[in-house]
Amino acid sequence: KAGVTQTPRYLIKTRGQQVTLSCSPISGHRSVSWYQQTPGQGLQFLFEYFSETQRNKGNFPGRFSGRQFSNSRSEMNVSTLELGDSALYLCASSLGGYNQPQHFGDGTRLSIL
Amino acid sequence: SQQGEEDPQALSIQEGENATMNCSYKTSINNLQWYRQNSGRGLVHLILIRSNEREKHSGRLRVTLDTSKKSSSLLITASRAADTASYFCATAPFDSGTYKYIFGTGTRLKVLA
């Protein structure tokens, strides 16, 4: 079974631009969560989608948004990029029920110049 | 803010020794999970323990959970160089359902050959 696939692996942008990251979950998984990982703040929850609906949201500004498609693939968008948005963005998928483990992709490393 | 705090922040041991990492959290939880992260990669799920369980084993891993003290420990027995990684605990706070996981700060484990 293929794992969680995130594209692209690396991305370099400049301040003020916007970016879209993609995540393909494990086949059959209907829940996709997004996390931001930085050396200073660690792993922080962004949002979680299940069957195209956002079920939970973390404490991030509205510049961070996401969506999920009917095939469970998910995208995350960050608008008006800031230097502080430089991070590893991780996507995780699960079956979506209670007490289910999450399976992570290798992330997208976003660098803002 | 971080829900979980791992202790110690860093740990260096010889191959064959046991490694113990601790995690403390703040609120009531549905479950607690442990993950491993190799440098620059995504997280790998190790073990999930539910709030009504006290101990769980998986291969060389042993996890305990003490909900009265809001703490958990991960024991890796007979460590190997390949166990070198960062280890994170993640909790699903009870009031947010199980869809919003909050990660601890991580323990960096180095196993010397």
Side-chain angles (χ1 to χ4, degrees):
Chain A
K1 208 178 216 184
V4 177
T5 303
Q6 290 189 247
T7 56
R9 283 297 313 278
Y10 303 93
L11 206 49
I12 299 174
K13 292 286 187 179
T14 57
R15 280 181 297 174
Q17 287 186 310
Q18 76 165 18
V19 67
T20 299
L21 311 182
S22 179
C23 173
S24 293
I26 290 172
S27 178
H29 284 190
R30 296 166 65 187
S31 168
V32 173
S33 297
W34 288 89
Y35 296 87
Q36 181 196 64
Q37 186 176 29
T38 60
Q41 298 297 316
L43 273 152
Q44 294 194 289
F45 174 82
L46 281 155
F47 27 66
E48 187 259 356
Y49 288 87
F50 180 84
S51 292
E52 302 179 67
T53 299
Q54 186 182 88
R55 290 196 299 192
N56 279 102
K57 190 176 188 303
N59 298 321
F60 278 80
R63 300 185 297 106
F64 292 82
S65 63
R67 59 177 176 168
Q68 186 181 35
F69 302 95
S70 58
N71 62 357
S72 294
R73 191 178 71 83
S74 177
E75 286 182 349
M76 189 193 113
N77 185 274
V78 188
S79 62
T80 318
L81 287 165
E82 301 176 359
L83 291 177
D85 297 332
S86 293
L88 179 66
Y89 290 88
L90 292 162
C91 162
S93 75
S94 77
L95 291 171
Y98 286 106
N99 297 315
Q100 294 292 329
Q102 295 186 86
H103 300 269
F104 283 79
D106 280 338
T108 293
R109 173 75 62 184
L110 175 63
S111 299
I112 311 301
L113 303 178
Chain B
S1 63
Q2 298 288 358
Q3 158 81 315
E5 297 285 337
E6 276 94 340
D7 167 52
Q9 289 189 346
L11 182 60
S12 187
I13 59 174
Q14 295 291 327
E15 209 168 25
E17 293 182 336
N18 295 342
T20 300
M21 290 159 259
N22 303 296
C23 167
S24 60
Y25 56 91
K26 298 174 184 172
T27 65
S28 297
I29 59 172
N30 285 303
N31 67 68
L32 185 145
Q33 303 185 30
W34 284 91
Y35 289 84
R36 183 187 77 232
Q37 184 179 34
N38 291 90
S39 181
R41 304 295 300 274
L43 282 75
V44 174
H45 180 263
L46 296 175
I47 203 161
L48 181 153
I49 186 165
R50 302 184 186 199
S51 59
N52 61 353
E53 297 176 312
R54 291 296 165 258
E55 189 171 311
K56 210 159 180 184
H57 297 255
S58 177
R60 294 183 295 113
L61 307 180
R62 172 178 168 253
V63 167
T64 61
L65 179 64
D66 187 334
T67 53
S68 66
K69 294 181 179 178
K70 293 187 170 58
S71 68
S72 174
S73 68
L74 169 67
L75 168 67
I76 304 174
T77 59
S79 62
R80 305 166 182 168
D83 295 328
T84 294
S86 292
Y87 291 81
F88 296 88
C89 67
T91 54
F94 185 74
D95 61 357
S96 72
T98 57
Y99 314 127
K100 179 179 178 179
Y101 285 95
I102 300 178
F103 282 78
T105 50
T107 292
R108 293 187 311 278
L109 173 65
K110 187 168 186 178
V111 181
L112 304 169

